[in-house]
């Protein structure tokens, strides 16, 4: 039965990989699960979409090439924004692609400010590809990779510490009051660095790494990515490890670099703001597709969609769901032994044995998939960086009131 369902799913999935128009720039980033994303978004003529993470324009270009639609493309990276501007000047994309330089967490305010004719809800679909792009990782001057020698920057909205030219006005706004990895590594306390590494990197040796960083900077400031990676490797000489079936080797600096990047760019906070904005910007029946690359991001997306779909309150997400299911299973077995088969009608759902929740609100989203979607074996063989990607899709309901599960109104 499993293979039959996969075959049926394969027949339903259209191939969106081939496009006719050439890009005016060199494409570096490969969009992950392109066919799966576009199959769920179902682009149609005369509709308006929002790509909250333009990058190299993978999703945007295919949507515009597929049908006669329009796309608002957002990115905080000035190099990605410059690419979007180049693409928007080509004849097939002119007056159909509208680039925006800014953080997707402020998309609601940005749309209201830049597009007077758009009144929320205005989008028929929103797509988000969270995390760092291949172009950012492979550019040494951006300071994202521990494999390349570059300055300690890691700001997604910066061209790099060595770059002083700013083509766009919005760049100054994004860079104002921002900090780079250099400031964190050289000026934050041992406790602050350890907390960042543990909270956003999940490294159990966070305090040992933080101590090594503080000790090293007492001699000379830590200025480059390779210097920081070397300090971490010496402090925690873990063997280079391999995950799953891919051939990508990692070292002990990987989690620290991830943690610094997430903290500097407030990635989780921006993600929560972007998801909250999608409630107000999506029309009824509008689709929200979010691709994530690690558990922290996926947990935020999952909790948001489950709460807005009335499946589980976001306040209950911190509880261990396995323990709740096991406790419900024990109660069910106990009830059956005592002859109380009617217990199943009072809150136990079939084989899931999970208690129903009373939803005191109208759900703002409906889940489009029963399980999270992951890359196919073919895509994994073609793009090793897609190995940890997860796709979740939800559809906006006709509920007028936005639930705002992260309570930004109260903040």
């Amino acid at each position: 039965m499993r293979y039959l369902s996969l075959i049926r799913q394969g027949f339903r999935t259209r191939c969106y990989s081939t496009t006719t128009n050439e890009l005016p720039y060199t494409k570096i980033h490969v969009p992950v699960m392109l066919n799966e994303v576009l199959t769920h978004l179902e682009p149609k003529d005369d509709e308006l979409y929002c790509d909250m993470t333009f990058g190299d324009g993978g999703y945007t270009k295919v949507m515009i090439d597929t049908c006669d639609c329009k796309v608002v493309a957002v990115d905080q990276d000035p190099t990605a924004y410059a690419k979007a501007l180049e693409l928007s000047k080509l004849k097939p994309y002119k007056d159909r692609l509208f680039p925006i330089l800014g953080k997707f967490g402020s998309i609601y305010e940005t749309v209201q400010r830049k597009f007077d004719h758009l009144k929320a809800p205005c989008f028929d679909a929103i797509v988000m590809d969270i995390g760092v792009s291949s172009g950012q990782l492979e550019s040494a001057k951006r300071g994202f990779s521990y494999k390349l020698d570059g300055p300690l920057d890691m700001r997604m909205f910066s061209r790099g510490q060595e770059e002083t030219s700013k083509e766009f006005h919005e760049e100054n706004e994004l860079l104002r009051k921002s900090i780079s990895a250099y400031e964190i590594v050289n000026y934050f306390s041992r406790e602050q660095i350890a907390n960042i590494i543990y909270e956003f990197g999940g490294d159990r040796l966070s305090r040992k790494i933080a101590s090594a960083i503080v000790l090293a900077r007492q001699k000379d400031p830590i200025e480059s990515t390779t210097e920081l990676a070397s300090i971490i490797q010496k402090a925690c000489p873990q063997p280079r490890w391999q995950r799953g079936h891919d051939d990508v080797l990692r070292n002990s600096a990987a989690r620290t670099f991830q943690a610094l990047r997430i903290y500097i760019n407030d990635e989780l906070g921006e993600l929560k703001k972007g998801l909250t904005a999608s409630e107000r910007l999506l029309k009824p029946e509008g689709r929200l597709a979010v691709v994530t690359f690690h558990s922290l991001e996926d947990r935020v997306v999952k909790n948001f969609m489950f709460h807005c779909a009335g499946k589980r309150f976001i306040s209950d997400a911190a509880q261990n769901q396995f323990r709740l299911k096991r406790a419900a299973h024990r109660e069910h077995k106990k009830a059956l032994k005592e002859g109380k088969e009617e217990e199943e009608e009072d809150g136990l759902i079939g084989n899931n044995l999970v208690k129903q929740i009373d939803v005191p609100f109208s759900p703002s989203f409906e889940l489009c998939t029963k399980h999270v979607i992951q890359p196919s074996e073919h895509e994994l063989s073609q793009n090793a960086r897609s190995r940890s990607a997860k796709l979740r899709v939800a559809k906006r309901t006709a509920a007028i009131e936005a639930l705002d599960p992260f309570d930004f109104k109260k903040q």
Side-chain angles (χ1 to χ4, degrees):
M1 292 298 292
R2 179 175 178 270
Y3 293 106
L4 182 60
S5 64
L6 289 174
I7 293 172
R8 288 172 178 170
Q9 183 179 0
F11 283 123
R12 289 197 300 268
T13 303
R14 292 176 58 187
C15 181
Y16 291 92
S17 57
T18 57
T19 55
T20 56
N21 301 308
E22 295 295 329
L23 289 169
Y25 49 81
T26 303
K27 184 178 179 180
I28 302 174
H29 182 75
V30 179
V32 176
M33 289 190 280
L34 178 65
N35 284 327
E36 291 83 349
V37 169
L38 272 296
T39 297
H40 282 284
L41 294 186
E42 299 177 348
K44 299 180 180 67
D45 293 344
D46 302 320
E47 291 192 340
L48 178 63
Y49 304 113
C50 180
D51 186 348
M52 287 199 183
T53 49
F54 178 81
D56 275 1
Y59 299 122
T60 293
K61 185 176 184 297
V62 176
M63 283 191 287
I64 294 178
D65 289 346
T66 301
C67 61
D68 186 16
C69 65
K70 296 180 179 180
V71 178
V72 174
V74 184
D75 208 299
Q76 62 180 326
D77 188 337
T79 57
Y81 175 67
K83 292 179 180 180
L85 285 177
E86 287 185 59
L87 190 63
S88 67
K89 294 175 183 177
L90 297 182
K91 186 176 180 180
Y93 307 99
K94 193 173 184 180
D95 298 326
R96 297 178 61 197
L97 173 59
F98 306 96
I100 293 177
L101 177 59
K103 298 183 178 181
F104 60 71
S106 57
I107 181 63
Y108 184 77
E109 295 79 12
T110 303
V111 167
Q112 288 185 321
R113 185 176 69 254
K114 289 186 174 290
F115 304 100
D116 297 333
H117 62 286
L118 292 181
K119 304 295 181 183
C122 55
F123 293 127
D124 296 284
I126 293 176
V127 60
M128 306 169 71
D129 182 0
I130 310 302
V132 65
S133 69
S134 298
Q136 292 167 332
L137 281 174
E138 294 174 10
S139 176
K141 64 182 180 181
R142 304 294 295 274
F144 286 104
S145 176
Y146 57 85
K147 299 177 182 178
L148 303 176
D149 187 24
L152 284 170
D153 194 335
M154 299 194 194
R155 292 173 294 181
M156 290 186 176
F157 42 85
S158 168
R159 298 172 186 267
Q161 288 187 343
E162 297 175 355
E163 296 286 338
T164 57
S165 62
K166 300 176 180 62
E167 295 181 37
F168 314 110
H169 168 71
E170 293 86 347
E171 285 188 73
N172 293 317
E173 294 297 320
L174 291 171
L175 290 170
R176 192 164 56 91
K177 296 183 179 179
S178 68
I179 61 171
S180 65
Y182 178 87
E183 280 81 24
I184 295 177
V185 169
N186 287 288
Y187 298 109
F188 276 35
S189 67
R190 178 187 290 105
E191 289 74 19
Q192 287 175 306
I193 296 174
N195 290 340
I196 291 172
I197 296 172
Y198 184 78
E199 182 179 356
F200 300 115
D203 199 320
R204 292 175 292 179
L205 300 176
S206 59
R207 298 196 180 281
K208 188 175 182 180
I209 294 172
S211 297
I213 291 173
V214 172
L215 182 63
R217 76 188 187 191
Q218 291 176 354
K219 301 176 183 177
D220 292 299
I222 304 171
E223 297 183 345
S224 70
T225 53
T226 52
E227 188 179 354
L228 177 60
S230 176
I231 292 169
I232 298 170
Q233 188 67 25
K234 288 179 182 177
C236 306
Q238 303 173 21
R240 298 174 73 189
W241 49 281
Q242 185 175 341
R243 178 175 59 190
H245 301 290
D246 61 66
D247 57 353
V248 179
L249 295 174
R250 304 158 184 83
N251 65 26
S252 52
R255 292 191 179 98
T256 298
F257 272 66
Q258 171 188 296
L260 292 173
R261 190 200 78 223
I262 293 174
Y263 177 82
I264 290 166
N265 297 285
D266 189 23
E267 292 183 28
L268 300 183
E270 288 297 311
L271 176 58
K272 291 177 181 179
K273 292 177 184 177
L275 292 171
T276 302
S278 70
E279 272 193 290
R280 296 173 172 82
L281 293 173
L282 277 173
K283 298 178 182 178
E285 302 295 317
R287 305 285 179 124
L288 171 65
V290 187
V291 178
T292 58
F293 287 87
H294 59 76
S295 59
L296 294 177
E297 299 168 343
D298 182 61
R299 190 178 302 128
V300 171
V301 177
K302 179 181 179 180
N303 291 342
F304 172 82
M305 289 186 174
F306 272 51
H307 180 100
C308 293
K311 300 295 183 182
R312 183 178 72 216
F313 294 126
I314 208 163
S315 57
D316 298 334
Q319 300 183 34
N320 189 313
Q321 297 300 309
F322 177 75
R323 291 181 180 177
L324 292 177
K325 291 182 180 181
R326 186 168 58 181
H329 179 67
R330 289 173 178 170
E331 290 295 326
H332 180 65
K333 290 181 67 177
K334 183 179 178 182
L336 290 178
K337 285 183 179 179
E338 295 175 357
K340 298 179 181 179
E341 297 184 4
E342 64 273 9
E343 287 286 335
E344 186 168 350
E345 301 176 1
D346 295 336
L348 296 175
I349 311 172
N351 295 326
N352 292 329
L353 304 171
V354 185
K355 291 186 178 180
Q356 282 274 26
I357 64 172
D358 295 324
V359 182
F361 52 78
S362 298
S364 59
F365 278 99
E366 175 187 336
L367 301 181
C368 294
T369 58
K370 184 176 182 180
H371 302 291
V372 67
I373 302 172
Q374 294 180 294
S376 63
E377 291 294 332
H378 174 72
E379 182 167 4
L380 290 174
S381 65
Q382 299 294 317
N383 182 14
R385 284 178 176 167
S386 68
R387 63 191 173 274
S388 57
K390 293 181 179 180
L391 169 64
R392 296 186 184 273
V393 186
K395 179 172 65 175
R396 187 68 166 90
T397 66
I400 299 175
E401 184 179 357
L403 300 180
D404 190 12
F406 300 115
D407 290 330
F408 282 111
K409 292 179 181 179
K410 301 178 182 178
Q411 296 178 10

